Coordinates of all heavy atoms in Angstrom, one line a residue:
M364 N 0.8 -1.2 0.0 CA 0.0 0.0 0.0 C 0.9 1.3 0.0 O 0.6 2.2 -0.8 CB -0.9 0.0 1.2 CG -1.9 1.2 1.3 SD -2.9 1.1 2.8 CE -1.7 1.5 4.1
V365 N 1.9 1.3 0.9 CA 2.8 2.5 0.9 C 3.5 2.7 -0.3 O 3.6 3.8 -0.9 CB 3.7 2.3 2.1 CG1 4.8 3.4 2.1 CG2 3.0 2.4 3.5
S366 N 4.0 1.6 -0.9 CA 4.8 1.7 -2.2 C 3.9 2.3 -3.3 O 4.4 3.2 -4.1 CB 5.4 0.3 -2.6 OG 6.3 -0.1 -1.6
I367 N 2.7 1.8 -3.4 CA 1.8 2.2 -4.5 C 1.4 3.7 -4.3 O 1.5 4.5 -5.2 CB 0.5 1.3 -4.5 CG1 0.9 -0.1 -5.0 CG2 -0.5 1.9 -5.5 CD1 -0.2 -1.1 -4.9
M368 N 1.1 4.1 -3.1 CA 0.7 5.5 -2.8 C 1.9 6.4 -3.1 O 1.7 7.5 -3.6 CB 0.3 5.6 -1.3 CG -1.1 5.0 -1.0 SD -1.6 5.2 0.7 CE -3.3 4.7 0.7
L369 N 3.1 6.1 -2.6 CA 4.2 6.9 -2.9 C 4.6 7.1 -4.3 O 5.0 8.1 -4.8 CB 5.4 6.4 -2.1 CG 5.4 6.7 -0.6 CD1 6.6 6.1 0.1 CD2 5.3 8.2 -0.2
R370 N 4.4 6.0 -5.1 CA 4.6 6.1 -6.5 C 3.6 7.0 -7.2 O 4.0 7.7 -8.2 CB 4.5 4.7 -7.2 CG 5.8 3.8 -7.0 CD 5.8 2.7 -8.0 NE 4.7 1.8 -7.8 CZ 4.8 0.7 -7.0 NH1 5.9 0.4 -6.3 NH2 3.7 -0.1 -6.9
E371 N 2.4 7.1 -6.6 CA 1.4 8.0 -7.2 C 1.8 9.5 -7.0 O 1.5 10.3 -7.9 CB 0.1 7.7 -6.6 CG -0.6 6.4 -7.0 CD -1.9 6.1 -6.3 OE1 -2.3 7.0 -5.5 OE2 -2.5 5.1 -6.6
V372 N 2.4 9.8 -5.9 CA 2.6 11.2 -5.6 C 4.0 11.7 -5.9 O 4.2 12.9 -5.9 CB 2.3 11.5 -4.1 CG1 0.9 11.2 -3.7 CG2 3.3 10.7 -3.2
C373 N 4.9 10.8 -6.2 CA 6.2 11.2 -6.6 C 6.3 11.2 -8.1 O 6.3 10.2 -8.8 CB 7.3 10.3 -6.0 SG 7.3 10.4 -4.2
S374 N 6.4 12.4 -8.7 CA 6.5 12.6 -10.2 C 7.7 11.9 -10.8 O 7.8 11.4 -11.9 CB 6.4 14.0 -10.6 OG 7.4 14.8 -10.0
V375 N 8.8 12.0 -10.0 CA 10.1 11.4 -10.4 C 10.4 10.4 -9.3 O 10.0 10.5 -8.1 CB 11.2 12.4 -10.6 CG1 10.9 13.3 -11.8 CG2 11.5 13.2 -9.3
K376 N 11.2 9.4 -9.6 CA 11.6 8.4 -8.6 C 12.5 9.0 -7.6 O 13.5 9.7 -7.9 CB 12.3 7.2 -9.3 CG 12.7 6.1 -8.3 CD 13.1 4.9 -9.0 CE 13.6 3.8 -8.0 NZ 12.5 3.5 -7.0
V377 N 12.0 8.8 -6.3 CA 12.8 9.3 -5.2 C 13.9 8.3 -4.9 O 13.6 7.2 -4.6 CB 11.9 9.6 -4.0 CG1 12.7 10.1 -2.8 CG2 10.8 10.5 -4.3
V378 N 15.1 8.8 -4.9 CA 16.3 7.9 -4.7 C 16.7 8.0 -3.2 O 17.1 9.0 -2.7 CB 17.5 8.3 -5.6 CG1 18.6 7.4 -5.3 CG2 17.1 8.3 -7.1
N379 N 16.5 6.9 -2.5 CA 16.9 6.7 -1.2 C 16.5 7.9 -0.3 O 17.3 8.6 0.3 CB 18.4 6.5 -1.1 CG 18.8 5.2 -1.7 OD1 18.1 4.3 -1.7 ND2 20.0 5.2 -2.3
P380 N 15.2 8.2 -0.2 CA 14.8 9.3 0.7 C 15.0 9.0 2.1 O 15.0 7.8 2.6 CB 13.3 9.5 0.3 CG 12.8 8.1 0.0 CD 14.0 7.4 -0.7
R381 N 15.0 10.0 2.9 CA 15.0 9.9 4.4 C 13.5 10.1 4.8 O 12.9 11.1 4.4 CB 15.9 10.9 5.1 CG 17.4 10.5 4.8 CD 18.3 11.5 5.5 NE 18.2 12.9 5.0 CZ 19.0 13.9 5.4 NH1 19.9 13.7 6.2 NH2 18.8 15.1 4.9
V382 N 13.0 9.3 5.7 CA 11.6 9.3 6.0 C 11.4 9.5 7.5 O 12.1 8.9 8.3 CB 10.9 8.0 5.6 CG1 9.4 8.0 5.9 CG2 11.1 7.7 4.1
V383 N 10.5 10.4 7.9 CA 10.0 10.6 9.2 C 8.6 10.1 9.3 O 7.7 10.4 8.5 CB 10.0 12.1 9.6 CG1 9.4 12.3 11.0 CG2 11.4 12.6 9.6
T384 N 8.3 9.2 10.3 CA 7.0 8.6 10.4 C 6.6 8.6 11.9 O 7.4 8.4 12.8 CB 7.0 7.2 9.8 OG1 5.6 6.7 9.9 CG2 7.8 6.2 10.6
A385 N 5.3 8.8 12.1 CA 4.8 8.9 13.5 C 4.3 7.5 13.9 O 3.8 6.7 13.2 CB 3.6 9.8 13.5
I386 N 4.6 7.2 15.2 CA 4.1 5.9 15.8 C 3.4 6.2 17.1 O 3.7 7.2 17.8 CB 5.4 5.0 16.1 CG1 6.4 5.7 17.0 CG2 6.0 4.6 14.8 CD1 7.4 4.8 17.5
P387 N 2.5 5.4 17.5 CA 1.8 5.5 18.8 C 2.8 5.4 20.0 O 3.9 4.8 19.8 CB 0.8 4.4 18.9 CG 0.6 4.0 17.5 CD 1.9 4.2 16.8
C388 N 2.5 5.9 21.2 CA 3.3 5.8 22.3 C 3.4 4.3 22.8 O 2.4 3.6 22.7 CB 2.8 6.6 23.5 SG 2.8 8.4 23.1
G389 N 4.5 3.9 23.4 CA 4.6 2.6 24.0 C 4.7 1.4 23.1 O 4.3 0.3 23.6
L390 N 5.1 1.6 21.9 CA 5.2 0.4 21.0 C 6.4 -0.4 21.5 O 7.4 0.1 21.9 CB 5.4 0.9 19.6 CG 4.2 1.5 18.8 CD1 4.5 1.6 17.3 CD2 2.9 0.7 19.0
T391 N 6.3 -1.7 21.2 CA 7.4 -2.6 21.5 C 8.4 -2.5 20.4 O 8.1 -1.9 19.3 CB 6.9 -4.1 21.6 OG1 6.4 -4.5 20.3 CG2 5.8 -4.2 22.6
E392 N 9.6 -3.0 20.6 CA 10.7 -2.9 19.5 C 10.2 -3.7 18.3 O 10.5 -3.2 17.2 CB 12.0 -3.5 20.1 CG 13.2 -3.2 19.2 CD 13.5 -1.8 19.1 OE1 13.2 -1.0 20.1 OE2 13.9 -1.3 18.0
V393 N 9.5 -4.7 18.4 CA 9.0 -5.5 17.3 C 8.0 -4.7 16.5 O 8.0 -4.6 15.2 CB 8.3 -6.8 17.7 CG1 7.6 -7.5 16.5 CG2 9.3 -7.7 18.3
E394 N 7.1 -4.0 17.2 CA 6.1 -3.1 16.5 C 6.8 -1.9 15.8 O 6.4 -1.5 14.7 CB 5.1 -2.6 17.5 CG 4.1 -3.7 18.0 CD 3.3 -3.3 19.1 OE1 3.7 -2.4 19.9 OE2 2.2 -3.9 19.3
K395 N 7.8 -1.4 16.4 CA 8.6 -0.3 15.8 C 9.3 -0.8 14.5 O 9.3 -0.1 13.5 CB 9.6 0.3 16.8 CG 9.1 1.1 17.9 CD 10.2 1.5 18.8 CE 9.7 2.3 20.0 NZ 10.7 2.7 21.0
R396 N 9.9 -2.0 14.6 CA 10.6 -2.5 13.5 C 9.6 -2.8 12.3 O 9.9 -2.6 11.1 CB 11.3 -3.8 13.9 CG 12.0 -4.5 12.7 CD 13.0 -3.6 12.1 NE 14.2 -3.3 12.9 CZ 15.2 -2.6 12.5 NH1 15.2 -2.1 11.3 NH2 16.2 -2.3 13.4
A397 N 8.4 -3.2 12.6 CA 7.4 -3.4 11.6 C 7.0 -2.1 10.9 O 6.9 -2.1 9.6 CB 6.1 -4.1 12.2
A398 N 6.9 -1.1 11.6 CA 6.6 0.2 11.0 C 7.8 0.7 10.1 O 7.5 1.2 9.1 CB 6.4 1.3 12.1
V399 N 9.0 0.5 10.6 CA 10.1 0.9 9.8 C 10.2 0.1 8.5 O 10.4 0.7 7.4 CB 11.4 0.6 10.6 CG1 12.7 0.8 9.7 CG2 11.5 1.6 11.8
N400 N 10.0 -1.2 8.6 CA 10.0 -2.1 7.4 C 8.9 -1.6 6.4 O 9.1 -1.7 5.1 CB 9.8 -3.5 7.7 CG 11.0 -4.1 8.5 OD1 12.1 -3.5 8.4 ND2 10.8 -5.2 9.2
A401 N 7.8 -1.2 6.9 CA 6.7 -0.8 6.0 C 7.0 0.4 5.2 O 6.8 0.5 4.0 CB 5.4 -0.6 6.8
V402 N 7.5 1.4 5.9 CA 7.8 2.7 5.2 C 9.1 2.7 4.4 O 9.3 3.5 3.5 CB 7.8 3.9 6.2 CG1 6.4 4.0 6.8 CG2 8.9 3.8 7.2
S403 N 10.0 1.7 4.7 CA 11.2 1.7 4.0 C 11.1 0.8 2.8 O 12.1 0.7 2.0 CB 12.3 1.1 4.9 OG 12.0 -0.2 5.3
S404 N 9.9 0.2 2.5 CA 9.8 -0.6 1.3 C 9.9 0.1 0.1 O 10.1 -0.4 -1.0 CB 8.4 -1.3 1.4 OG 7.4 -0.4 1.4
F405 N 9.8 1.5 0.1 CA 9.9 2.3 -1.0 C 11.4 2.6 -1.4 O 11.7 3.2 -2.3 CB 9.1 3.6 -0.8 CG 9.0 4.5 -2.0 CD1 8.3 4.0 -3.1 CD2 9.5 5.7 -2.1 CE1 8.1 4.8 -4.2 CE2 9.4 6.5 -3.2 CZ 8.7 6.1 -4.3
G406 N 12.3 2.1 -0.5 CA 13.7 2.3 -0.7 C 14.3 3.5 0.1 O 15.2 4.2 -0.4
A407 N 13.8 3.6 1.3 CA 14.2 4.7 2.2 C 15.7 4.4 2.6 O 16.1 3.3 2.9 CB 13.3 4.8 3.4
R408 N 16.4 5.5 2.7 CA 17.8 5.4 3.2 C 17.9 5.3 4.7 O 18.6 4.5 5.2 CB 18.6 6.7 2.7 CG 20.0 6.7 3.2 CD 20.9 7.7 2.4 NE 20.7 9.1 2.9 CZ 20.1 10.0 2.2 NH1 19.6 9.8 1.0 NH2 20.0 11.3 2.6

């Protein structure tokens, strides 16, 4: 879902972008890692 949405809004391919993403308070390390993997699927640096 994230990859498809980002491809729609980026007119040119973003090369290794840096990404800031919000997470709820009190997440476990596993839940944080899942969030990181999801948003980095687009090729985040």
Side-chain angles (χ1 to χ4, degrees):
M364 182 179 73
V365 171
S366 296
I367 293 171
M368 286 182 173
L369 286 176
R370 282 199 295 268
E371 290 177 358
V372 298
C373 295
S374 55
V375 295
K376 182 168 177 58
V377 180
V378 181
N379 296 329
R381 293 181 297 185
V382 180
V383 174
T384 186
I386 58 169
C388 297
L390 290 191
T391 65
E392 193 60 36
V393 172
E394 290 169 332
K395 289 179 182 178
R396 177 58 66 179
V399 170
N400 291 341
V402 299
S403 63
S404 60
F405 190 63
R408 180 163 79 247

